[in-house]
Amino acid sequence: MKNIFILVCVFYSFFQVHQINAANPEMEVFLNKVASRLESVDNKRPHAVEVTAIVQEMDGHWHPKKETIMQELVTKRDTVRTVKIIKAIVKEKGKEKDVTEKMKKDQKKRGNKGGAQFNAKDFFPFNHEKRDRYIFQFLPDTTIDNSVVKVLAVQAVKPGDGLFNGTYLINAESFHLVSLNLHPSKNPKMVKEMKMRMNFGINDFGNY
């Protein structure tokens, strides 16, 4: 009986999400426009991105005991992606230590792998292939730089790897993605908490 009850709950949740999205034509139209906008400004040109990664190691009371700050230059040309470490600092017990050279040597040993991986499709739930995995809801609009911005809350129907909960801020007129605040619907192993915030702009080529 317990297994039957769980199965019913899963199907009910899935059906409910379809009902929410199907019963809200405004949401469907909005998601279509955002997806189309993302596709039109997808950065397929060779490009470089400056990245600052901050990793905190916590003690048993969830207080930072060690912090590593790494600045990197990530470049992509065709399918080739390279990561160049600019600077790396470790903060521990009130002291700072420059570990740039050590990090560069470690990077060389692992063959220029590592660093932040930028695949926008992992963070965007707007296309038809991903919509059924999420519940979408409009929150009250806000204003940024004198422009009306739609606030879209998303939540995974079922927590899983590669699915995120949080909010997206989207320009109400251009459907340009302004920013996102996300956390995994299911934390990776050995991770208690992970939060991501990204701000987006359009460059001179019309790309994100």
Side-chain angles (χ1 to χ4, degrees):
M1 182 64 69
K2 183 177 180 181
N3 291 337
I4 295 175
F5 176 72
I6 292 174
L7 186 64
V8 170
C9 285
V10 171
F11 276 106
Y12 174 75
S13 296
F14 184 72
F15 174 75
Q16 187 179 44
V17 174
H18 273 281
Q19 287 294 95
I20 290 172
N21 291 339
N24 191 341
E26 180 188 1
M27 180 66 76
E28 287 293 310
V29 171
F30 181 80
L31 294 176
N32 288 339
K33 289 182 178 179
V34 174
S36 177
R37 177 63 170 158
L38 283 168
E39 179 63 26
S40 71
V41 297
D42 186 19
N43 194 350
K44 296 181 176 66
R45 297 172 179 266
H47 61 276
V49 182
E50 235 180 66
V51 179
T52 299
I54 302 175
V55 178
Q56 291 181 328
E57 297 179 32
M58 318 303 279
D59 62 20
H61 301 287
W62 201 239
H63 298 140
K65 65 177 182 179
K66 181 179 178 181
E67 184 175 81
T68 302
I69 304 173
M70 188 177 306
Q71 292 178 286
E72 299 172 326
L73 183 66
V74 182
T75 59
K76 185 176 181 183
R77 183 178 294 275
D78 297 325
T79 59
V80 179
R81 175 182 173 277
T82 59
V83 179
K84 179 182 178 181
I85 296 175
I86 302 171
K87 191 172 184 178
I89 299 290
V90 171
K91 296 181 179 181
E92 189 174 14
K93 296 180 180 179
K95 297 181 180 180
E96 290 189 7
K97 183 179 179 181
D98 191 320
V99 294
T100 306
E101 293 306 316
K102 179 182 183 302
M103 290 293 189
K104 286 182 177 179
K105 289 179 182 178
D106 291 345
Q107 182 191 56
K108 190 174 181 180
K109 289 180 182 179
R110 62 178 181 260
N112 197 39
K113 295 179 182 179
Q117 299 288 331
F118 290 94
N119 186 348
K121 294 180 180 179
D122 292 339
F123 300 110
F124 300 156
F126 308 110
N127 60 37
H128 288 283
E129 291 74 16
K130 285 192 173 184
R131 286 183 200 174
D132 288 342
R133 305 176 192 175
Y134 289 91
I135 297 172
F136 299 91
Q137 180 184 4
F138 285 123
L139 300 182
D141 293 351
T142 186
T143 302
I144 298 178
D145 295 332
N146 298 320
S147 297
V148 177
V149 174
K150 305 289 288 185
V151 181
L152 181 68
V154 303
Q155 181 177 349
V157 175
K158 182 179 179 181
D161 296 334
L163 302 179
F164 299 89
N165 297 337
T167 57
Y168 295 82
L169 273 63
I170 300 164
N171 186 286
E173 293 185 2
S174 67
F175 301 98
H176 157 60
L177 181 60
V178 177
S179 68
L180 60 81
N181 287 275
L182 300 177
H183 61 272
S185 64
K186 177 184 177 182
N187 283 330
K189 291 182 179 179
M190 305 301 291
V191 175
K192 182 176 181 179
E193 183 177 12
M194 179 185 292
K195 295 181 180 179
M196 292 166 285
R197 178 177 179 179
M198 301 182 189
N199 299 321
F200 297 86
I202 300 293
N203 64 17
D204 293 338
F205 298 103
N207 302 123
Y208 274 123

